[in-house]
Amino acid sequence: MTDVTIARALRAGTSALALVLGMTATAAFASDAPATAAASSDADGTGIAEGSNIEVTATRPNTLAPVTASLQATQPQSIVSRSFIEDSLPATADFNQIALISPSVSISGNANGSGLSESKAQIRGFQDGEFNITYDGVPFGDTNDPSHHSNTFFPSNTIETLVVDRGPGNASQLGQATFGGNMNLFSRATRDDAGIEVKGTYGSWNTYLLRALAQSGAIDRLGGTEVVLSAQHVASDGARTYSPFHSNNVFGKVAIPIGPDAKLTLLATYNENSFNQPDNDGVTLSQVAQYGKYFSLNDDPGSQNYYKYNHTHKTTDFELVKFEANIAPGSTFENRAYTYSYDNETLSGNDPTLYATATPAQIAAANVVTLTPGGKAVAGVPGYTKTNKYRVFGDIAKARLDFGFGSLTAGTWIEWSNTYRQQRDVNLLTGAPNYVEKAVTDPDTGAATPRNIKFDQHSHTNQAEEFVELELRPLPGLTITPGYKHVDFTRQIDADYNQTTRYAQQLSSTYSADLPFATVNYAVTKQVAVYAQYARGFLAPPLSVLYVANPQLSTVAPERSTNYQAGVVYHGRSLSFDADVYKIDFSNKFASFTSTVPGEGTVFINQGAVQYKGVEGQITYAFPMGIAVFANGSRNYAKTDNPGVIRQQVAKAPEWTAAGGVLVKSGPVRFSLIDKWVGKQFFVSPTGSTVAGNAYDSPVYQSPGYNTAILSARYEIGPFQIGGEIENLFNSKRVTSITTGKTAPFDQYFYQTGRAFTADVTMRF
């Protein structure tokens, strides 16, 4: 590769690891292979995997498909392009809704409308927090466990490409939950050409979005530096009662070439969300009967559901400095230094299920507060304040050396975080302290805990991962990559009043793992590749294992997984498809119990195993004139695997998924009709019984499945594009999730929001 080619690749925003070391399966047939689109800088946005290190053959079906896979894949994957995000989804969609089009992906939540409340994704039955989500290669998530907030960090205007990897990846795939898969987000790409895009949308529930994006193009006097800037504002009344939502986001990225062989990228984004919602969300069946499926809050100041008593303000930021360089022929170095933060400030009623569910006597008994320590309870509205804020710092460094018939990649990831969390009881009528908690004294000092404090806690994490991969290319088109990763992870608590125990504690726990990996990819022809993967996975216990009086009694170890999967990818002129089979053995499932020995309290252990296995596939056929049809689906088995008990599908793990539709990209016309089905699932966990006949088996806690169809159409007139979507075209209002309450009447339900309309106008110049 010449210096000129390298310089062009760097200006295009393509990772040096993808292009400079592009000795891939497709490259083995470079003389007659189809053109590839790894990270195109074309201003029309037709690149398939822009901003990522993934190469996808730019055949006609791949440029039209909502999801596709790379011929270089070493595990099942679904690549979602920016054009699909722009043409077929509401502009307010969060990253889980973008990923939903993929096989084996399902989501729950989003009960206030697309992107107007949080959603949770599941991949093959693995729940949020059991798989990684990354942004430009940086894993992110909460610090008490690696769960995620779908509409808080990265709205759709910050995402160029999304890749769902249904597997733990190679050793170089980093994150705390490297066993349930990876959802990889890639930031908006810079372009060679300057341009401005302004977008406005308006739709159901008085929802509007304003967005602007500006591309500087290559600035010659700055050596070809490229800049992209974006800003977005969203406001809505929300699908549910008294549940308005407001959001602001700004995003900026600068790509600076440093000579012909290096590039520096600076990225920053800031997001602010403000909304009214109970902290303990969901609607009971009694509330549904009286007020409908979309009841949430009201305008009654004497109720814990009063909208002014239930308010959350969240701010986040994410900053990244990435340096890439070709340090010698066939050798590269990359470093990513980053920081991100999250700040959640919440005011909430104690129990939003009481309204219209409990009897007047029960409500009166619950709506009392204690205004002086040890005093008598008086009428009031009990609630609490909540803070959850953290700052994370990290660095990822990797180097790759190519030696002709193979290459060696080695690197390290270090990260640390500081977190502050608190909850305090208040009288929502006045904001005064509510001294309602049980009397607790510190066993060491005898100091009494203030009875309005649930907890007040600082915590920290420190982790390091070192990895190495040896990529061997013994034959043309054949790549064999064994790898190894070592993980060290430490949690620490320094609490004035620890959660659950409510007295001062300083605790820590360290976990380690050695994880082998091996992948094979073989390009059978220039259009067909097969792959296989073996990998071990690891998930550290959550912070809650340190919310105990006697942590030395807990024997909990990290959850482990062993993954086996294999698949095939085909890219033809009119047809593109891939399919795979997988088997995952998951052990050391976290569990806890209350000791019968006085004073021992809660003890955490590992108890149970789950076996995941299934088959997945996706296919697209392209007709002339820019018309394509596609389908994908999965059959997913995720059952407990414990001796002596009935094997049962785990909670919130659909037994199957399916999607299909038609897409048109022809001249000024953009049209799509897409439907996604989520199959049968259970909303409560198996009890481990040796016989049937428990809540798990009740039809109340089972879903036969549900679907969501989106009709989208757009037309370009000069610099303008007009269009819109009808989301949930068939007006499905089925249950998507149930959270069990203290008794069945207090169970909380989440429903599809029904048919919604959006119209939009986009101007580009």
Side-chain angles (χ1 to χ4, degrees):
M1 180 173 288
T2 67
D3 289 346
V4 173
T5 305
I6 293 169
R8 288 174 178 169
L10 292 169
R11 284 199 301 271
T14 305
S15 169
L17 293 179
L19 286 185
V20 178
L21 299 177
M23 187 69 175
T24 61
T26 300
F29 301 92
S31 59
D32 57 352
T36 63
S40 169
S41 62
D42 294 342
D44 63 3
T46 57
I48 298 171
E50 295 191 56
S52 74
N53 294 345
I54 296 169
E55 295 186 5
V56 180
T57 51
T59 58
R60 188 169 59 192
N62 280 341
T63 58
L64 294 171
V67 286
T68 188
S70 171
L71 284 168
Q72 290 80 52
T74 56
Q75 62 184 352
Q77 66 177 195
S78 295
I79 303 167
V80 185
S81 69
R82 181 68 202 176
S83 63
F84 174 76
I85 298 170
E86 289 279 3
D87 296 340
S88 300
L89 295 177
T92 56
D94 62 30
F95 55 70
N96 286 334
Q97 289 172 280
I98 297 171
L100 179 62
I101 192 65
S102 307
S104 292
V105 175
S106 59
I107 66 172
S108 58
N110 246 341
N112 202 37
S114 291
L116 307 180
S117 58
E118 286 188 9
S119 63
K120 295 294 184 182
Q122 299 82 39
I123 302 176
R124 292 176 168 175
F126 286 100
Q127 306 299 302
D128 181 61
E130 295 180 332
F131 54 85
N132 295 318
I133 300 183
T134 69
Y135 188 74
D136 276 5
V138 173
F140 72 96
D142 277 356
T143 53
N144 55 330
D145 63 35
S147 56
H148 306 89
H149 305 280
S150 63
N151 64 351
T152 302
F153 274 96
F154 305 112
S156 65
N157 66 300
T158 69
I159 300 171
E160 191 77 35
T161 303
L162 186 150
V163 181
V164 178
D165 284 324
R166 297 186 297 276
N170 290 347
S172 56
Q173 177 72 54
L174 303 171
Q176 292 183 26
T178 311
F179 70 94
N182 300 280
M183 189 185 297
N184 300 308
L185 319 179
F186 296 94
S187 64
R188 293 302 298 266
T190 60
R191 309 288 194 204
D192 284 338
D193 299 323
I196 294 177
E197 176 181 301
V198 179
K199 187 183 192 73
T201 76
Y202 184 81
S204 299
W205 316 302
N206 194 31
T207 301
Y208 70 88
L209 174 147
L210 300 173
R211 175 189 296 170
L213 183 139
Q215 294 276 2
S216 71
I219 305 172
D220 291 337
R221 66 179 179 274
L222 297 177
T225 294
E226 297 175 356
V227 181
V228 57
L229 301 172
S230 177
Q232 176 176 287
H233 173 71
V234 179
S236 176
D237 293 339
R240 297 188 296 182
T241 60
Y242 291 91
S243 298
F245 174 85
H246 298 84
S247 177
N248 296 291
N249 177 268
V250 291
F251 168 87
K253 180 177 175 181
V254 183
I256 308 170
I258 304 175
D261 294 317
K263 184 178 73 171
L264 180 68
T265 302
L266 309 176
L267 181 152
T269 183
Y270 173 85
N271 199 81
E272 177 188 34
N273 289 351
S274 181
F275 53 91
N276 294 84
Q277 176 183 299
D279 196 33
N280 181 25
D281 203 16
V283 59
T284 69
L285 291 180
S286 294
Q287 292 169 340
V288 170
Q290 295 190 48
Y291 302 107
K293 293 179 177 180
Y294 309 115
F295 173 80
S296 179
L297 299 173
N298 60 32
D299 62 349
D300 177 7
S303 163
Q304 293 185 38
N305 295 72
Y306 183 44
Y307 72 99
K308 290 186 178 180
Y309 298 156
N310 295 269
H311 179 266
T312 297
H313 183 253
K314 292 185 179 182
T315 58
T316 65
D317 65 78
F318 180 95
E319 292 80 32
L320 171 68
V321 178
K322 180 172 66 172
F323 175 74
E324 304 164 277
N326 306 318
I327 56 178
S331 299
T332 64
F333 173 77
E334 176 184 297
N335 192 86
R336 302 172 194 233
Y338 64 90
T339 182
Y340 63 89
S341 76
Y342 172 87
D343 187 354
N344 175 354
E345 304 293 341
T346 291
L347 178 70
S348 179
N350 275 356
D351 190 351
T353 67
L354 293 171
Y355 191 81
T357 302
T359 65
Q362 289 173 319
I363 293 174
N367 280 350
V368 295
V369 294
T370 303
L371 300 179
T372 57
K376 294 183 63 176
V378 297
V381 181
Y384 57 89
T385 66
K386 181 178 84 170
T387 297
N388 179 13
K389 58 192 305 183
Y390 54 78
R391 168 68 67 181
V392 178
F393 302 89
D395 189 87
I396 300 170
K398 62 177 73 173
R400 179 168 175 168
L401 306 176
D402 195 289
F403 45 83
F405 63 89
S407 62
L408 180 69
T409 302
T412 185
W413 174 39
I414 57 173
E415 184 182 87
W416 64 98
S417 69
N418 299 307
T419 302
Y420 174 67
R421 301 171 67 244
Q422 69 83 26
Q423 284 191 26
R424 282 169 166 78
D425 295 293
V426 297
N427 178 11
L428 293 170
L429 289 173
T430 64
N434 177 19
Y435 299 96
V436 71
E437 301 294 331
K438 294 180 179 179
V440 169
T441 58
D442 189 310
D444 294 327
T445 67
T449 299
R451 295 181 65 177
N452 67 311
I453 297 179
K454 293 176 180 286
F455 57 86
D456 193 299
Q457 172 198 92
H458 291 271
S459 63
H460 315 276
T461 63
N462 290 278
Q463 62 180 323
E465 295 188 7
E466 302 86 27
F467 65 88
V468 61
E469 292 176 358
L470 178 62
E471 181 181 288
L472 300 173
R473 300 183 286 270
L475 298 172
L478 177 62
T479 303
I480 303 171
T481 310
Y484 165 84
K485 178 161 56 186
H486 177 76
V487 180
D488 292 299
F489 185 83
T490 298
R491 292 192 184 278
Q492 298 174 300
I493 281 182
D494 183 6
D496 292 334
Y497 308 101
N498 199 13
Q499 192 164 344
T500 305
T501 64
R502 295 184 52 244
Y503 53 76
Q505 288 183 288
Q506 291 77 42
L507 306 170
S508 68
S509 188
T510 298
Y511 311 96
S512 297
D514 294 297
L515 306 174
F517 299 79
T519 64
V520 177
N521 179 287
Y522 179 57
V524 180
T525 71
K526 64 183 180 182
Q527 295 178 311
V528 179
V530 294
Y531 63 84
Q533 180 186 61
Y534 162 82
R536 298 294 301 273
F538 162 93
L539 177 63
L543 187 66
S544 57
V545 302
L546 298 179
Y547 302 165
V548 295
N550 296 284
Q552 72 278 6
L553 298 178
S554 295
T555 59
V556 64
E559 293 181 335
R560 300 291 190 125
S561 68
T562 304
N563 300 256
Y564 309 90
Q565 45 193 352
V568 59
V569 181
Y570 172 78
H571 289 174
R573 294 189 179 277
S574 298
L575 180 68
S576 173
F577 79 84
D578 59 273
D580 67 272
V581 295
Y582 68 91
K583 179 178 180 291
I584 305 170
D585 296 317
F586 171 31
S587 61
N588 285 1
K589 194 168 180 65
F590 303 140
S592 66
F593 67 92
T594 301
S595 174
T596 58
V597 178
E600 288 192 349
T602 300
V603 177
F604 280 85
I605 60 172
N606 297 104
Q607 185 180 64
V610 179
Q611 186 177 96
Y612 298 80
K613 59 185 178 182
V615 58
E616 304 160 321
Q618 50 196 22
I619 185 171
T620 299
Y621 186 84
F623 297 93
M625 302 299 293
I627 301 172
V629 293
F630 86 97
N632 67 51
S634 64
R635 178 65 172 93
N636 307 105
Y637 173 107
K639 293 192 175 184
T640 55
D641 189 20
N642 302 309
V645 299
I646 298 174
R647 290 192 172 189
Q648 298 172 310
Q649 190 85 353
V650 299
K652 299 181 180 179
E655 294 183 350
W656 56 271
T657 69
V662 58
L663 302 99
V664 178
K665 297 180 184 179
S666 179
V669 175
R670 297 289 186 271
F671 172 86
S672 64
L673 175 58
I674 294 170
D675 206 352
K676 174 67 183 268
W677 293 266
V678 175
K680 178 183 177 181
Q681 62 181 300
F682 300 82
F683 295 129
V684 298
S685 298
T687 59
S689 174
T690 57
V691 296
N694 49 54
Y696 174 90
D697 299 300
S698 168
V700 172
Y701 297 107
Q702 298 179 25
S703 167
Y706 54 89
N707 73 299
T708 303
I710 300 179
L711 174 66
S712 177
R714 286 177 172 77
Y715 189 82
E716 291 183 359
I717 306 174
F720 295 94
Q721 183 186 72
I722 59 174
E725 298 91 24
I726 304 176
E727 191 178 5
N728 198 351
L729 178 65
F730 304 115
N731 202 31
S732 177
K733 298 180 180 180
R734 292 189 175 186
V735 175
T736 63
S737 183
I738 302 174
T739 301
T740 55
K742 49 186 176 286
T743 60
F746 295 93
D747 292 343
Q748 292 174 284
Y749 288 68
F750 296 83
Y751 297 90
Q752 294 176 276
T753 51
R755 188 181 295 115
F757 301 85
T758 302
D760 60 68
V761 177
T762 303
M763 181 173 63
R764 298 183 177 96
F765 54 92

